[in-house]
Amino acid sequence: MDSKIETVFGAIDQIAKSSPDKMAVISGNEAISYAQLATRVNAVAEGLRLRGVGRGELIGVESGRAIDNLIGLIGAMAMGAVPISMPNEVYAYTAVLNEAKPKRILATPDGMPEEAQGRAQEVARFYVSELSDPAVRPQSNHLERSASGEDTAMIYYTSGTSSGVRKGVMQSYKALHITAKYITEIMRSSESVCEFVASPVDNAFWFGRCRCVLGVGGTLLLSSGTLNPFNILAALSRNNGNAISGDTPIFMLLLHQMENFAAT
C-alpha cells in the first residue's frame, strides 16, 4: 500500500488502538467508542468474507439507519468489496439495482422502499446489525488491510446532473484520501471536533464528512430519525457539539427556526 494513502477503516483502527474509549459516533440514544466501532466494522468485513464476498464485488448498502449505513459502508471497504450507498427513494433505489446490479445488499431498518421489494428480493440481503454483532470473532483484523490508491473504494450515485438522472461515480482510495486530507487541513480539524452531519445519508457529502471527522479522531453526531432543526440543536446541546455540516436547505431551516425563536 502506498504509504501516503490513508483509508477511513485504517484511521479507525489506529484511533481504536491509541484511544479506545474515545467516542466515535452518537446517534440518538446509541453511542459507540472507537474500539466498539472498529469491532463492529471488522465483524461486518468478516461476515462478508464468510459469505463468499470477493474483492472488488459490488455491495449495496441501504441508508435507512445512519449508524448501520456507516458501519456497512466501512465494513465493506475494509473487506475489499466496493460499497454502493442505496437511495431511500423508490425510483432511485430500483434504478441503482438495475444499473449497478449488486449481488448482495447490506440491509438497514427502513432502508428499502416497499415499492422496491419485488425487485430487491432477487438480491441476497444481510442486515448490518446482524453482521456487526460484537460477539463475532474474526480470524484477522480487516482494518489493517492494505489498499492500492488506484483501487475503486466505493460508488456513489449523484443527483447533481443537468438531466436529473442519478449517475454512478466511482471513487478511488487515492481520491478519497486527497479530498479528506485537503478538507481537514483547510478546516484545521482535530480530534476535538464533535460534528452533526445534517445531510441525507445516501448523499456523498454525508459520507465525506463522516470520513473527515473519523479521520482526525473526532466525534460524529448522526440523525436517528427525522432530520429537523429541533433534533439537530438538541443533539448538539446534549453532546456538547461544536460543528454542523450540511447543504443549503439545512442551514436555511436552522436560520428560519432561529428567527422564530428570537421572535418569541
Side-chain angles (χ1 to χ4, degrees), residues 229-230 252-264:
F230 298 104
M252 292 298 292
L253 281 172
L254 287 170
L255 289 172
H256 179 68
Q257 182 57 38
M258 290 177 182
E259 289 177 353
N260 289 342
F261 181 78
T264 60

Side-chain angles (χ1 to χ4, degrees), residues 94-110:
T94 304
V96 172
L97 279 181
N98 291 335
E99 180 173 295
K101 296 180 173 59
K103 295 180 180 179
R104 312 166 209 251
I105 288 178
L106 285 174
T108 70
D110 301 320

Side-chain angles (χ1 to χ4, degrees), residues 96 99 155-170:
V96 172
E99 180 173 295
I155 297 176
Y156 257 99
Y157 274 76
T158 175
S159 57
T161 64
S162 58
S163 66
V165 177
R166 288 185 180 240
K167 296 183 178 179
V169 178
M170 294 186 292

Side-chain angles (χ1 to χ4, degrees), residues 113-126:
E114 289 186 11
E115 297 88 342
Q117 288 182 3
R119 172 67 181 86
Q121 286 177 354
E122 302 170 16
V123 184
R125 290 165 57 83
F126 310 105

Side-chain angles (χ1 to χ4, degrees), residues 161-206:
T161 64
S162 58
S163 66
V165 177
R166 288 185 180 240
K167 296 183 178 179
V169 178
M170 294 186 292
Q171 300 180 336
S172 69
Y173 280 101
K174 182 178 181 180
L176 293 184
H177 162 71
I178 291 174
T179 302
K181 185 174 186 294
Y182 174 78
I183 292 173
T184 53
E185 287 180 353
I186 289 294
M187 296 183 68
R188 300 180 182 179
S189 301
S190 70
E191 68 279 358
S192 65
V193 66
C194 182
E195 179 176 320
F196 194 108
V197 185
S199 179
V201 177
D202 65 334
N203 190 300
F205 176 83
W206 181 88

Side-chain angles (χ1 to χ4, degrees), residues 43-59 76 79-82 103-104 106 124 126 131 142:
V44 168
E46 178 71 358
L48 293 175
R49 185 191 71 81
L50 291 174
R51 286 162 177 78
V53 174
R55 295 284 176 89
E57 181 176 327
L58 300 183
I59 301 289
M79 187 268 149
V82 179
K103 295 180 180 179
R104 312 166 209 251
L106 285 174
F126 310 105
L131 265 63
H142 295 278

